[in-house]
Amino acid sequence: MYLDNEDFLSWMEKLNKKLTTIGGDLKAVIATGEAFTNDDKLLDNQDLAFLLKVSYRTLQRYRDSGQLRYFLVRRKTFYRMADIKDFIQSYASKNEVVMFNKSIEDGKTLK
């Protein structure tokens, strides 16, 4: 394959713009120390089982029944914090919701 100088320079300019954008995003993440908002944070089975004080099998039952939203990445199950909050508010008592929100505020979940 042969590229003339104009095509090569155009391609390099596009690449440079993209890398500059990515670099700016990385600087922002490093400066704030946070890559995700609280609702976008991810928990795996172990983290969620510990947080909810349930077994892995119970989490499986919640997933199978459609009560708890999840997604798979290379056969590993993950849960978004926003989906966990929705699940808690839908199926837990008011007192349990308050306790869950307090534990999140106190930083008992992964950062």
Side-chain angles (χ1 to χ4, degrees), residues 40-51:
D40 289 334
K41 289 188 180 181
L42 301 176
L43 299 176
D44 63 6
N45 269 332
Q46 181 178 359
D47 297 333
L48 187 57
F50 177 75
L51 182 67

Side-chain angles (χ1 to χ4, degrees), residues 12-95:
M12 289 303 288
E13 187 175 315
K14 289 179 187 177
L15 179 62
N16 187 27
K17 284 181 183 178
K18 189 57 122 172
L19 289 174
T20 302
T21 303
I22 291 170
D25 292 344
L26 284 174
K27 284 181 184 178
V29 168
I30 290 169
T32 62
E34 292 286 326
F36 297 107
T37 63
N38 279 342
D39 285 344
D40 289 334
K41 289 188 180 181
L42 301 176
L43 299 176
D44 63 6
N45 269 332
Q46 181 178 359
D47 297 333
L48 187 57
F50 177 75
L51 182 67
L52 298 179
K53 296 181 175 76
V54 297
S55 68
Y56 299 134
R57 180 66 185 117
T58 300
L59 292 178
Q60 179 68 46
R61 252 186 260 115
Y62 293 153
R63 290 193 309 267
D64 290 346
S65 67
Q67 294 175 314
L68 183 58
R69 294 182 56 172
Y70 69 98
F71 61 95
L72 297 172
V73 177
R74 292 191 177 191
R75 296 168 45 177
K76 185 168 180 168
T77 307
F78 289 96
Y79 309 88
R80 282 186 42 234
M81 185 58 78
D83 295 333
I84 296 167
K85 287 179 181 178
D86 290 342
F87 170 77
I88 294 293
Q89 290 177 348
S90 297
Y91 296 101
S93 69
K94 198 171 196 176
N95 187 32

Side-chain angles (χ1 to χ4, degrees), residues 4-16:
D4 61 7
N5 283 341
E6 289 179 19
D7 289 339
F8 178 75
L9 290 176
S10 172
W11 185 81
M12 289 303 288
E13 187 175 315
K14 289 179 187 177
L15 179 62
N16 187 27

